[in-house]
Amino acid sequence: MRFGAAVLRSYEEPFAVEEVVLGSGPADGEILVRIAGCGMCRTDLAVRRSAGRSPLPAVLGHEGAGVVVETGGPDTGLSPGDHVVLSFDSCGHCRSCLGAAPAYCDRFAALNLFGGRAENAARFTDAAGGALAPRWFGQSSFAEYAMVPARNAVRVDASLPLEMLGPLGCGFLTGAGAVFNSFGAGPGDTVAVFGAGAVGLAAVMAATAAGAFTVAVDRHPERLARAEKFGAVPLDAASAGLPGRIQRLTDGGARYALDTTGSGGLINDALRALRPTGHLGLVARLHTALPLEPGTLDRGRRISHICEGDAVPGLLIPRLTGLWEAGLFPFDQLIRTYPLADIDEAERDCEAGRVVKPVLIPEHRT
């Protein structure tokens, strides 16, 4: 099977949309999906800064959504024609997976970040027969088609705008899941969100939907305006006395804070803005040591890393689509679509902050 895909061949070069070859159909437990749209996540772009740990050449993309074309084996739980959102890969049998915590799968890094599944890897090549890294996040969905473990796929209602749904599998899932799952925020709670990008704005929408009082911190006025539209009180990240301002707004400090920036200064501000016993969640990967200032972890405050919103995708994605249908999670307002052929433009716009969530639309030849 031959189809178009965006291939990244080196850490410095642009993507190249070219023909790739899938040498066989789905194995047991797999599905072949015709991609309707795929979100671009900063984790995709971070491959350029991965110091060679993510193998190239590769087809990236891990926020895919599409239609099942073919299934492998009798136990996928899916059928041709089903509409699905694709999420992260997990083994399904380690202690974390069996404990409903697939984001903490023992093989998460190997399956999602550092080469993907070794099974049947050789069947995925470029047009000249050169090997491509086997399935980024179990998907490699910057493409017309993706071969996916069925456990990565979540069936959704066929009436939903399928091409827009892919980011529910990672970026929006992470922000909303942090609020719903990691924090368990509800009416009367206070949530401070640091960074109003795709993950942060998803957290703002979720906190508002949960009935929590929400503060959003960012340095871009247009992103703060979006956060305010979604129900948050906006604060400039450069504001003098930022922790004190948040404490006054939240009557003594936020119960929960989410940092999406990875900035050491803002992380310390977030800790200082918490009430006693407050919880700060980090979702960004830190690339340097994190110096914590004296007093930031006093009085029962705690800090943790949150992966994929602590989500079971099969439970959270339907919840998010239901909230969207109710007008309570308007994630579509964050999306700008691009043809897959314009992936380099989408990357430039994403890096420059001109778009919150690019979604790439394959131009299917058949």
Side-chain angles (χ1 to χ4, degrees):
M1 181 179 184
R2 294 174 177 266
F3 54 89
V7 180
L8 187 66
R9 292 195 169 274
S10 82
Y11 301 103
E12 299 81 21
E13 295 177 8
F15 289 92
V17 177
E18 57 185 75
E19 187 176 73
V20 298
V21 180
L22 191 61
S24 62
D28 283 351
E30 291 183 331
I31 57 172
L32 178 65
V33 177
R34 188 180 193 267
I35 297 297
C38 182
M40 176 176 280
C41 177
R42 291 197 174 274
T43 303
D44 296 309
L45 306 185
V47 168
R48 296 193 184 279
R49 300 181 291 276
S50 66
R53 292 179 298 169
S54 297
L56 296 182
V59 177
L60 304 178
H62 66 285
E63 292 184 341
V67 179
V68 176
V69 175
E70 187 179 355
T71 66
D75 300 321
T76 63
L78 295 164
S79 302
D82 284 346
H83 288 207
V84 291
V85 172
L86 308 180
S87 195
F88 56 88
D89 202 358
S90 55
C91 75
H93 53 258
C94 70
R95 183 174 299 179
S96 293
C97 287
L98 294 175
Y104 304 99
C105 172
D106 289 351
R107 296 184 62 202
F108 184 92
L111 292 175
N112 292 285
L113 299 170
F114 303 139
R117 291 179 178 266
E119 302 93 335
N120 301 305
R123 63 185 169 172
F124 192 36
T125 70
D126 62 21
L132 298 172
R135 290 187 301 189
W136 173 251
F137 275 78
Q139 300 181 37
S140 290
S141 48
F142 285 164
E144 294 180 48
Y145 292 86
M147 188 72 79
V148 186
R151 66 177 285 104
N152 294 31
V154 178
R155 185 191 292 109
V156 293
D157 192 284
S159 67
L160 296 170
L162 185 60
E163 69 280 1
M164 299 288 192
L165 300 185
L168 296 178
C170 184
F172 298 157
L173 172 131
T174 296
V179 171
F180 291 143
N181 300 326
S182 312
F183 298 156
D189 284 330
T190 49
V191 180
V193 178
F194 288 73
V199 174
L201 288 171
V204 166
M205 289 187 285
T208 300
F213 178 83
T214 311
V215 177
V217 178
D218 202 285
R219 59 189 177 90
H220 297 289
E222 66 278 8
R223 296 200 172 190
L224 288 175
R226 286 182 183 269
E228 186 174 24
K229 180 181 178 181
F230 296 146
V233 175
L235 288 179
D236 192 309
S239 300
L242 181 61
R245 294 188 66 184
I246 295 173
Q247 287 182 339
R248 289 190 292 276
L249 283 168
T250 56
D251 191 25
R255 183 172 183 185
Y256 304 110
L258 181 70
D259 179 77
T260 72
T261 71
S263 162
L266 286 178
I267 289 170
N268 278 276
D269 282 346
L271 284 167
R272 291 190 181 280
L274 291 174
R275 64 178 293 111
T277 73
H279 177 193
L280 169 62
L282 308 180
V283 297
R285 182 176 293 273
L286 301 178
H287 298 286
T288 60
L290 175 62
L292 295 181
E293 298 168 4
T296 52
L297 285 178
D298 289 355
R299 306 188 68 197
R301 297 186 183 103
R302 62 190 177 97
I303 184 171
S304 69
H305 181 262
I306 298 170
C307 185
E308 300 286 358
D310 285 335
V312 177
L315 298 178
L316 184 55
I317 290 172
R319 182 177 183 182
L320 297 182
T321 58
L323 288 171
W324 177 78
E325 290 182 293
L328 298 174
F329 193 75
F331 67 88
D332 55 307
Q333 296 181 26
L334 305 180
I335 288 173
R336 182 190 302 173
T337 61
Y338 299 76
L340 181 61
D342 292 342
I343 186 171
D344 293 314
E345 178 186 355
E347 180 179 12
R348 289 191 296 270
D349 287 351
C350 188
E351 291 284 34
R354 290 188 288 266
V355 60
V356 176
K357 175 58 68 172
V359 169
L360 300 164
I361 308 295
E363 296 174 336
H364 289 274
R365 295 168 292 181
T366 58

